[in-house]
PDB file of all heavy atoms in Angstrom:
ATOM      1  N   GLU A  65     124.130  34.948  33.415  1.00  0.00           N
ATOM      2  CA  GLU A  65     123.236  34.137  32.592  1.00  0.00           C
ATOM      3  C   GLU A  65     121.931  34.882  32.326  1.00  0.00           C
ATOM      4  O   GLU A  65     121.434  34.923  31.191  1.00  0.00           O
ATOM      5  CB  GLU A  65     122.942  32.798  33.285  1.00  0.00           C
ATOM      6  CG  GLU A  65     122.003  31.907  32.498  1.00  0.00           C
ATOM      7  CD  GLU A  65     121.662  30.618  33.235  1.00  0.00           C
ATOM      8  OE1 GLU A  65     121.519  30.649  34.477  1.00  0.00           O
ATOM      9  OE2 GLU A  65     121.529  29.595  32.556  1.00  0.00           O
ATOM     10  N   LEU A  66     121.388  35.509  33.360  1.00  0.00           N
ATOM     11  CA  LEU A  66     120.146  36.277  33.223  1.00  0.00           C
ATOM     12  C   LEU A  66     120.324  37.407  32.218  1.00  0.00           C
ATOM     13  O   LEU A  66     119.479  37.598  31.332  1.00  0.00           O
ATOM     14  CB  LEU A  66     119.715  36.839  34.574  1.00  0.00           C
ATOM     15  CG  LEU A  66     118.529  37.799  34.563  1.00  0.00           C
ATOM     16  CD1 LEU A  66     117.295  37.151  33.958  1.00  0.00           C
ATOM     17  CD2 LEU A  66     118.248  38.302  35.963  1.00  0.00           C
ATOM     18  N   GLU A  67     121.415  38.134  32.326  1.00  0.00           N
ATOM     19  CA  GLU A  67     121.675  39.234  31.395  1.00  0.00           C
ATOM     20  C   GLU A  67     121.760  38.732  29.958  1.00  0.00           C
ATOM     21  O   GLU A  67     121.190  39.339  29.045  1.00  0.00           O
ATOM     22  CB  GLU A  67     122.964  39.956  31.773  1.00  0.00           C
ATOM     23  CG  GLU A  67     122.840  40.756  33.054  1.00  0.00           C
ATOM     24  CD  GLU A  67     124.180  41.239  33.578  1.00  0.00           C
ATOM     25  OE1 GLU A  67     125.242  40.918  32.982  1.00  0.00           O
ATOM     26  OE2 GLU A  67     124.175  41.941  34.603  1.00  0.00           O
ATOM     27  N   ASP A  68     122.462  37.629  29.746  1.00  0.00           N
ATOM     28  CA  ASP A  68     122.595  37.064  28.398  1.00  0.00           C
ATOM     29  C   ASP A  68     121.239  36.677  27.818  1.00  0.00           C
ATOM     30  O   ASP A  68     120.912  37.025  26.678  1.00  0.00           O
ATOM     31  CB  ASP A  68     123.521  35.845  28.405  1.00  0.00           C
ATOM     32  CG  ASP A  68     124.976  36.201  28.660  1.00  0.00           C
ATOM     33  OD1 ASP A  68     125.330  37.391  28.531  1.00  0.00           O
ATOM     34  OD2 ASP A  68     125.752  35.281  28.998  1.00  0.00           O
ATOM     35  N   TYR A  69     120.453  35.942  28.604  1.00  0.00           N
ATOM     36  CA  TYR A  69     119.131  35.527  28.134  1.00  0.00           C
ATOM     37  C   TYR A  69     118.225  36.726  27.891  1.00  0.00           C
ATOM     38  O   TYR A  69     117.466  36.760  26.926  1.00  0.00           O
ATOM     39  CB  TYR A  69     118.458  34.579  29.134  1.00  0.00           C
ATOM     40  CG  TYR A  69     118.961  33.164  29.095  1.00  0.00           C
ATOM     41  CD1 TYR A  69     119.271  32.485  30.266  1.00  0.00           C
ATOM     42  CD2 TYR A  69     119.114  32.486  27.893  1.00  0.00           C
ATOM     43  CE1 TYR A  69     119.725  31.172  30.236  1.00  0.00           C
ATOM     44  CE2 TYR A  69     119.566  31.179  27.856  1.00  0.00           C
ATOM     45  CZ  TYR A  69     119.867  30.534  29.032  1.00  0.00           C
ATOM     46  OH  TYR A  69     120.320  29.234  28.995  1.00  0.00           O
ATOM     47  N   LEU A  70     118.313  37.704  28.765  1.00  0.00           N
ATOM     48  CA  LEU A  70     117.469  38.889  28.629  1.00  0.00           C
ATOM     49  C   LEU A  70     117.814  39.673  27.368  1.00  0.00           C
ATOM     50  O   LEU A  70     116.928  40.076  26.617  1.00  0.00           O
ATOM     51  CB  LEU A  70     117.622  39.774  29.866  1.00  0.00           C
ATOM     52  CG  LEU A  70     116.587  40.848  30.103  1.00  0.00           C
ATOM     53  CD1 LEU A  70     115.170  40.296  30.043  1.00  0.00           C
ATOM     54  CD2 LEU A  70     116.833  41.522  31.432  1.00  0.00           C
ATOM     55  N   ILE A  71     119.083  39.852  27.096  1.00  0.00           N
ATOM     56  CA  ILE A  71     119.515  40.548  25.891  1.00  0.00           C
ATOM     57  C   ILE A  71     119.031  39.810  24.646  1.00  0.00           C
ATOM     58  O   ILE A  71     118.479  40.421  23.723  1.00  0.00           O
ATOM     59  CB  ILE A  71     121.049  40.726  25.868  1.00  0.00           C
ATOM     60  CG1 ILE A  71     121.466  41.753  26.917  1.00  0.00           C
ATOM     61  CG2 ILE A  71     121.538  41.140  24.485  1.00  0.00           C
ATOM     62  CD1 ILE A  71     122.958  41.798  27.177  1.00  0.00           C
ATOM     63  N   LEU A  72     119.218  38.505  24.614  1.00  0.00           N
ATOM     64  CA  LEU A  72     118.779  37.716  23.456  1.00  0.00           C
ATOM     65  C   LEU A  72     117.268  37.822  23.237  1.00  0.00           C
ATOM     66  O   LEU A  72     116.803  38.013  22.109  1.00  0.00           O
ATOM     67  CB  LEU A  72     119.173  36.249  23.633  1.00  0.00           C
ATOM     68  CG  LEU A  72     120.659  35.922  23.531  1.00  0.00           C
ATOM     69  CD1 LEU A  72     120.919  34.475  23.952  1.00  0.00           C
ATOM     70  CD2 LEU A  72     121.159  36.165  22.121  1.00  0.00           C
ATOM     71  N   THR A  73     116.526  37.701  24.309  1.00  0.00           N
ATOM     72  CA  THR A  73     115.069  37.706  24.206  1.00  0.00           C
ATOM     73  C   THR A  73     114.537  39.085  23.807  1.00  0.00           C
ATOM     74  O   THR A  73     113.657  39.194  22.941  1.00  0.00           O
ATOM     75  CB  THR A  73     114.431  37.246  25.535  1.00  0.00           C
ATOM     76  OG1 THR A  73     115.020  35.990  25.916  1.00  0.00           O
ATOM     77  CG2 THR A  73     112.930  37.071  25.401  1.00  0.00           C
TER      78      THR A  73
END
Side-chain angles (χ1 to χ4, degrees):
E65 179 183 37
L66 173 58
E67 290 168 357
D68 290 344
Y69 282 134
L70 196 51
I71 289 168
L72 289 171
T73 308

